[in-house]
Structure formats: C-alpha cells, structure tokens
Amino acid sequence: MSTTVDTGWTQADRAKAAAKLMLGWVALLWVLEAVDHATGHALDQYGIVARDPDSLTGVVSAAFLHFGFDHVASNSVPLLVLGFIAALSGIRRFLAVCGLILLADGLGTWLISPSGTMTLGASGVVFGLFGYLLVRGFVERRALGIAVAVGVAAVWGTTIVSGILPTDSGVSWQGHLCGLVAGVVTALCFQRPARPRPAALTG
C-alpha cells in the first residue's frame, strides 16, 4: 500500500509560480539591456570571449546580456514559453536544469567558438530548454511529455535546425549547438523514475 504526499501545490499554483518566474526572468533581460544601452554597452564586457581565461565569469552572465533590444526581443518569446512549460514540473527541478544548461552551454561555447569572438544572449538557454523538452517526455515515457515534445518540435523545430548550422557568421551556432546538446543530456540526467504499478490486493 502506498500513499501520495500532499505538497500543498495544485497545478494552478505551479502554473502561477512558473509564469511569475519566467515573466521576471524576461523582464530582467530587458532591464539589463536598458542599463547596457544607457551606459554605452558597458555590460558587454561580461560576455563569453572564446578561450580567454579572464572571461570565464561570462559563462553564466553572458546568458543575461544581449547585443541590442532586437536581440532581446528575438529570445524573449521562446524563452518565456519554453521556460514556462519546463517550470511546470517544479521550480526547484527547473532551476537545477537551467543551471546545468547555463554552465554546459557557456563552457562549450567558450571552448569551441573561434578564438577571440564574443558571445552574448539567452539563445543557448532557449536551445537547451528545447532539447530538454524534446527528450524529457520520451525518456520518462509520459504521454503528456511526448505531446509537449511533438508540439515544441512543430513550432520551433525548423528554427532550431537552422540555428545550429554554420550559415550565418553573425550568429553563434556554437552556442546554439552546445545549448541543444546540454538540454538533451540534462533531460537524460533528470529523468523521473517510472511510476510503480499498484500492488494487487490478495487475501
């Protein structure tokens, strides 16, 4: 016999928490870009400069900075939507997932980008969340997760594929690719155990 532990959180509570978190995250990106613009792009120095040891702190900070408001705008909607969906499974789990994606994407970008190039932007996290959601449902064998994977693939699949191809010298396909791989690996690491089948009653 087993019982379900009541955490006090309804699905509506989870949705509200996820929405507040992601709205706050996206708002932070816009505030930081406004500060960067007002200070003559002083914050850009905190980006990732490939294989420059002094820029290793940018492995994390680069994901919160952008090259202008158009750059922020292009990342805001997919980050908001994909982040919201991923956060519905739990805020703590979501923060751990994002932390691993940030670190893995940042370090990968630092390692494989052309020497001396600077990378900024939340697109690595966006690609990571896409990879995470794409794989999570299948590794956990959950119908809803698989439906989510099919949905995000249908909406953003073409954009993701084009984003990891080295066709635009002004776009960090390395950051996109590292983010995507990080998201897939994170989904494998954070898979929930399969639900046990209910025991049959005897006697």
Side-chain angles (χ1 to χ4, degrees):
M1 179 178 180
S2 63
T3 60
T4 300
V5 177
D6 184 7
T7 61
W9 280 68
T10 66
Q11 194 61 35
D13 292 331
R14 289 179 181 272
K16 289 178 181 178
K20 289 179 180 179
L21 175 61
M22 294 315 303
L23 287 170
W25 188 338
V26 171
L28 175 63
L29 300 185
W30 283 89
V31 169
L32 288 173
E33 187 53 36
V35 172
D36 185 52
H37 181 77
T39 58
H41 304 289
L43 297 183
D44 289 354
Q45 64 180 306
Y46 299 106
I48 297 171
V49 180
R51 289 183 295 286
D52 178 0
D54 293 335
S55 79
L56 279 172
T57 54
V59 164
V60 174
S61 59
F64 298 90
L65 304 172
H66 292 80
F67 292 117
F69 291 108
D70 289 343
H71 192 195
V72 183
S74 67
N75 285 327
S76 292
V77 173
L79 178 62
L80 183 64
V81 175
L82 295 176
F84 173 76
I85 295 172
L88 287 175
S89 62
I91 300 300
R92 290 183 181 178
R93 185 190 193 196
F94 172 73
L95 292 177
V97 165
C98 287
L100 283 179
I101 290 174
L102 273 171
L103 289 174
D105 175 55
L107 287 172
T109 302
W110 186 86
L111 284 170
I112 71 173
S113 293
S115 182
T117 57
M118 176 176 282
T119 302
L120 295 175
S123 57
V125 178
V126 170
F127 277 66
L129 289 173
F130 175 89
Y132 172 74
L133 291 173
L134 187 67
V135 172
R136 184 186 65 177
F138 291 98
V139 298
E140 294 181 352
R141 298 179 182 180
R142 295 172 183 264
L144 181 58
I146 294 172
V148 168
V150 172
V152 298
V155 175
W156 282 290
T158 301
T159 301
I160 295 297
V161 171
S162 63
I164 62 175
L165 297 177
T167 55
D168 188 342
S169 59
V171 174
S172 176
W173 63 267
Q174 296 92 345
H176 295 169
L177 178 61
C178 289
L180 181 64
V181 172
V184 170
V185 173
T186 301
L188 297 174
C189 293
F190 275 79
Q191 59 179 302
R192 296 183 188 275
R195 294 178 179 176
R197 295 181 180 179
L201 296 177
T202 60

